[in-house]
Amino acid sequence: MNTEKLEKARKYEQEYGKLVLDSERPVYHVTGTTGWINDPNGFSEYKNEYHLFYQHYPYANEWGDMHWGHVKSKDFITWERLPVALAPDEGYDKDGCFSGSALELDSGEQLLIYTGVQEKIDDYGEKKRFQTQCIAIGDGRDYKKYDQNPVISQKDLPEGADPLEFRDPKIWFEEGFFYVATANKMKNGSVFLHRSKDLFHWEFCGILASSLGELGNMWECPDFFSLNGKQVLLISPVEMKPNGEDFHPGHGTICCFGEYDKENYSFQRENHHLIDYGIDFYAPQTMETSDGRRIMIGWMQAWSTSTFVPEGAKYFGQMTVPRELTVVNDKLYQNPVRELESYRQDKVAYFDVEISNKELTLDKIEGRVIDLTVELLDIKQFHQFVIQLACDKENKTLIMYDADRNKLCVDRSGSGFPHDIVHTREITIKPVKGKLKLRILLDRYSMEIFLNDGEKAATFTIYTPQTAAGIKFVSDGRAHVNIEKYSLNKN
Ligand code: FRU
């Protein structure tokens, strides 16, 4: 049963989505059909296809009443657009269908669990936006909201919990129960755990973990799973104070490792690190594929930079490339999904090229939609090594390695932004056995860097004109590099 609000959003997308030319979209990153997108939602496998939903306001390039947009894929790279899945069209979610997750049920149906936002006026005449957890069940395209929604509300919360900041359910099935981890503002950010046998009746299990004032002031979008023998909690804390290289926009995403005491539903945080060291990355969500890989996708934006919408944009917001996760020495490693490799074309490779203080361009090393690997072979032969990407006379995106300080410095101030916002980042990274490896994915409006086979990742949006496709290298000494470049193409 589709309501007027849902039909309106679907019709709007059909009509206006056509006006966005393929050449105005990234080649292999997900965007909304029209309007605005933020967090990835419901990232999951259903009937042997990968589904991705997203926070979506179809009608403008700004955040508004949240709907769920929807795409699906067989390989994480080519996505088919589907009609809007959820609209804020019931009393309990009239002010937004906020983030959530999805699961394939034994019945063959697809379950969506999301946060319903409902504004109410309290006894003092003040507006309060209550957040509850709601479900909808469907066939991979159309969804019916449960008529007894919400399924988890204020009455299911522990004492001291905040019913106004209670959201982003992440669901999984384990040993006969459905479990849901949600974010709450209690104790400056907590993750609650609820469980259910039937999806409709939920019991509160415990508080998995809390910020206690150490990690921001509210946690968003929790994800909780075990990987390579480690228990992992991903969170997106709000109001983190900038700390050295971390948390420049006041929020960020963190990966925490620790011990999970299943009897008491408590997760003892032991150590944590930032997930992405770039500028545009937030609210990631993971899924497990049927071949056992843990894949993460993030919103390729940050709230603090999300108001800088390019002039004339017909849509706004992108997702990162889906990334395969592994845990190595208490670090979350990320690499682009292996499926991307089958889109590589026109290999160009150079071995042991010497780069000195004269800017060097190499035949066929150029392009804006590319998969480029640069291996710095002998770090001791220079102090600074620079790659200029997406460059022409007026534009350049700089990646500079400072070998004395083990710092990778990225500067996108020449990357098409007319605004003086944060454009630079410094990332500490050491060579491994004397070598530093950079894999750089460029798409029309972004750059994602993966260092040392996934040890660190850094994500940046760029809005450089597409004609700026040059690549140059320079060093202040005698750098030796291996370079491998592919075009990424869907044809
Ligand atoms: C994170 C977030 C979520 C919320 C959603 C609203 O970016 O604030 O906590 O569910 O966005 O769009």
Side-chain angles (χ1 to χ4, degrees):
M1 190 199 62
N2 294 338
T3 60
E4 229 173 81
K5 249 192 177 166
L6 185 66
E7 282 311 325
K8 181 178 158 203
R10 288 181 165 193
K11 203 162 154 253
Y12 183 89
E13 282 204 341
Q14 247 189 1
E15 214 171 310
Y16 289 94
K18 289 198 289 256
L19 304 184
V20 189
L21 307 176
D22 275 354
S23 58
E24 295 170 317
R25 295 188 184 276
V27 173
Y28 57 96
H29 288 86
V30 172
T31 52
T33 309
T34 60
W36 161 279
I37 69 170
N38 57 288
D39 314 358
N41 295 158
F43 189 37
S44 58
E45 199 166 328
Y46 176 66
K47 295 198 169 157
N48 303 318
E49 291 182 302
Y50 305 119
H51 283 249
L52 176 69
F53 302 80
Y54 44 81
Q55 288 288 278
H56 185 34
Y57 183 60
Y59 308 112
N61 289 334
E62 59 188 31
W63 193 84
D65 280 353
M66 281 292 108
H67 296 58
W68 275 35
H70 190 189
V71 288
K72 68 175 183 180
S73 172
K74 289 190 170 56
D75 67 357
F76 292 114
I77 305 298
T78 297
W79 295 89
E80 181 189 330
R81 292 191 180 280
L82 291 167
V84 172
L86 299 176
D89 51 13
E90 295 287 345
Y92 53 79
D93 65 13
K94 70 180 176 54
D95 296 295
C97 300
F98 275 18
S99 285
S101 51
L103 200 67
E104 177 162 3
L105 301 176
D106 284 346
S107 63
E109 294 162 307
Q110 190 179 33
L111 170 93
L112 311 183
I113 181 158
Y114 68 98
T115 300
V117 182
Q118 183 179 23
E119 197 169 279
K120 292 182 187 167
I121 310 286
D122 73 6
D123 296 346
Y124 306 99
E126 262 186 61
K127 283 184 189 160
K128 295 267 162 75
R129 302 187 118 212
F130 286 87
Q131 305 189 338
T132 56
Q133 315 318 319
C134 306
I135 57 180
I137 294 179
D139 60 1
R141 181 190 169 93
D142 296 303
Y143 300 86
K144 189 176 177 312
K145 291 179 184 169
Y146 176 46
D147 56 11
Q148 305 283 319
N149 269 339
V151 291
I152 311 179
S153 57
Q154 198 168 349
K155 65 174 180 10
D156 308 302
L157 296 181
E159 214 186 307
D162 187 342
L164 307 179
E165 302 271 8
F166 171 46
R167 57 183 175 269
D168 307 340
K170 176 70 202 275
I171 192 165
W172 70 92
F173 186 77
E174 193 179 328
E175 292 166 10
F177 284 94
F178 295 99
Y179 286 90
V180 152
T182 46
N184 193 282
K185 197 168 175 170
M186 188 176 175
K187 298 185 182 164
N188 299 96
S190 291
V191 176
F192 290 171
L193 192 67
H194 286 80
R195 70 173 193 179
S196 169
K197 277 259 182 222
D198 62 4
L199 294 167
F200 306 114
H201 306 89
W202 291 84
E203 65 177 294
F204 174 72
C205 303
I207 301 179
L208 269 183
S210 296
S211 158
L212 306 168
E214 289 164 23
L215 295 176
N217 194 24
M218 162 66 189
W219 287 356
E220 298 187 311
C221 303
D223 202 337
F224 192 58
F225 52 88
S226 77
L227 184 62
N228 306 126
K230 284 276 169 184
Q231 191 64 36
V232 182
L233 174 69
L234 305 186
I235 42 162
S236 297
V238 179
E239 286 181 36
M240 288 287 287
K241 293 203 176 65
N243 173 17
E245 293 167 9
D246 301 354
F247 305 110
H248 64 96
H251 56 268
T253 51
I254 298 183
C255 164
C256 306
F257 296 105
E259 280 299 315
Y260 180 31
D261 171 359
K262 280 195 182 182
E263 302 272 287
N264 296 305
Y265 304 111
S266 123
F267 174 73
Q268 208 55 46
R269 283 198 276 121
E270 283 163 5
N271 49 40
H272 65 265
H273 65 75
L274 209 64
I275 299 176
D276 191 284
Y277 292 81
I279 294 175
D280 300 299
F281 185 90
Y282 196 62
Q285 192 171 79
T286 73
M287 60 161 287
E288 197 180 1
T289 57
S290 40
D291 60 7
R293 291 177 291 156
R294 179 64 60 173
I295 313 288
M296 177 179 75
I297 192 164
W299 178 34
M300 193 149 60
Q301 199 65 58
W303 283 110
S304 57
T305 56
S306 68
T307 50
F308 298 95
V309 179
E311 183 91 17
K314 293 184 186 157
Y315 64 91
F316 186 68
Q318 313 172 60
M319 295 299 166
T320 65
V321 77
R323 302 171 180 182
E324 290 187 23
L325 302 181
T326 44
V327 178
V328 184
N329 299 331
D330 274 4
K331 278 190 192 152
L332 189 71
Y333 273 58
Q334 303 167 51
N335 283 295
V337 274
R338 63 193 68 169
E339 284 85 343
L340 186 65
E341 285 158 35
S342 54
Y343 289 80
R344 287 171 160 178
Q345 285 180 9
D346 308 325
K347 175 172 174 175
V348 187
Y350 289 87
F351 296 98
D352 204 4
V353 182
E354 185 170 296
I355 315 252
S356 63
N357 59 4
K358 195 165 162 283
E359 269 181 8
L360 185 76
T361 53
L362 292 164
D363 189 33
K364 297 209 168 71
I365 300 288
E366 61 185 9
R368 282 296 295 276
V369 186
I370 59 170
D371 185 346
L372 173 73
T373 299
V374 179
E375 258 182 311
L376 278 163
L377 298 175
D378 190 351
I379 298 292
K380 296 210 173 71
Q381 301 294 316
F382 63 90
H383 300 287
Q384 290 192 345
F385 171 81
V386 182
I387 313 174
Q388 295 188 20
L389 296 141
C391 62
D392 61 9
K393 280 202 181 105
E394 276 149 39
N395 305 281
K396 57 179 182 256
T397 303
L398 291 176
I399 299 178
M400 197 264 285
Y401 189 61
D402 181 332
D404 301 334
R405 295 165 57 231
N406 292 318
K407 299 274 185 201
L408 191 86
C409 311
V410 182
D411 183 347
R412 63 156 194 193
S413 39
S415 313
F417 283 89
H419 320 96
D420 182 12
I421 53 174
V422 172
H423 288 313
T424 56
R425 292 281 81 209
E426 266 200 358
I427 304 153
T428 303
I429 187 87
K430 290 192 179 136
V432 177
K433 296 190 184 134
K435 285 191 210 167
L436 185 80
K437 187 168 169 190
L438 295 98
R439 182 166 171 202
I440 303 164
L441 295 185
L442 284 186
D443 200 344
R444 291 192 177 116
Y445 306 106
S446 63
M447 172 171 78
E448 289 164 278
I449 308 174
F450 299 87
L451 298 168
N452 289 342
D453 294 310
E455 185 187 333
K456 283 191 174 173
T459 303
F460 303 84
T461 55
I462 59 172
Y463 290 104
T464 323
Q466 301 303 313
T467 45
I471 299 179
K472 292 181 192 165
F473 303 90
V474 65
S475 96
D476 61 354
R478 293 186 334 164
H480 285 254
V481 297
N482 291 340
I483 298 169
E484 187 174 285
K485 186 221 117 181
Y486 300 86
S487 307
L488 291 170
N489 210 320
K490 288 222 180 121
N491 306 317

